Amino acid sequence: DIVKRINDFFDNDNQFVFWYDAAGDFKDNFPLIAEQIDAESIDMKADEQFKTKLHLVDLEKAGQKALIYSAAAKPDLKNNFLADIIRYSKEYTADATVLLLEELGLPSNQKAFVTSYSKFFANKERINRFKTMLNNSQDVMNYETVILAALVKITSTSSVQLLKSVLMAGLED
């Protein structure tokens, strides 16, 4: 979804897309995203603004497009060497929590829930188990029960099954 949105930002009039990720939520995923973008991808470090600007000027002369990603907050205007290029380019932002809500199929009012269990949702395997249980269960009382079931790797959100699984694992674990 991110790749599609970024690729949509590139059009005949736009060569550059800037993505400032202040929280660094997509820092680890950027190489994978960069492979799928229909333009050059630049992973700009906080102290590489001037170097990046020179590279962008060369790309602009050649008529090439680029995605510029920074795992830092956008600098204020007086400290931003790229402000002139940003002005005639487009900026992309992505909220990892909102994207996760969409992936899980949860309503937007569950953002606080997803944020409070961010460590749980930091693992793709657990996310997949959570999604599977949500899709397979017609009667989900609360999402915390689904998290517990995903953690103990059972396919049911039944309290009895949860307790049985924990007791079967033993007290040492």
Side-chain angles (χ1 to χ4, degrees), residues 2 8 14 36 81 83 90 97 102 125 135 142 153 168:
I2 291 173
D8 288 346
N14 186 49
Q36 302 172 40
F81 295 137
K90 294 189 179 177
T97 306
E102 291 174 6
E125 183 182 333
N135 294 337
N142 63 34
K153 300 179 182 177
M168 294 295 286

Side-chain angles (χ1 to χ4, degrees), residues 6-18 59-60 63-66 84-91:
I6 292 172
N7 280 330
D8 288 346
F9 275 35
F10 292 109
D11 55 26
N12 295 336
D13 297 334
N14 186 49
Q15 280 186 279
F16 305 123
V17 175
F18 286 84
L59 290 175
E60 188 172 25
Q64 296 177 335
K65 299 177 181 189
D84 58 332
I85 297 175
I86 293 172
R87 192 162 187 88
Y88 63 84
S89 300
K90 294 189 179 177
E91 289 186 68

Side-chain angles (χ1 to χ4, degrees), residues 66-134:
L67 166 66
I68 302 90
Y69 172 82
S70 176
K74 181 179 176 182
D76 59 357
L77 188 59
K78 67 181 179 180
N79 295 323
N80 193 345
F81 295 137
L82 298 166
D84 58 332
I85 297 175
I86 293 172
R87 192 162 187 88
Y88 63 84
S89 300
K90 294 189 179 177
E91 289 186 68
Y92 175 77
T93 57
D95 183 348
T97 306
V98 172
L99 293 172
L100 183 59
L101 282 172
E102 291 174 6
E103 181 183 348
L104 296 172
L106 296 176
S108 60
N109 65 357
Q110 294 299 320
K111 187 173 181 177
F113 164 76
V114 171
T115 303
S116 66
Y117 289 102
S118 60
K119 287 188 179 184
F120 172 83
F121 290 113
N123 180 291
K124 282 287 183 194
E125 183 182 333
R126 290 190 299 250
I127 289 172
N128 289 334
R129 278 189 258 140
F130 185 90
K131 279 193 320 189
T132 301
M133 275 185 258
L134 276 181

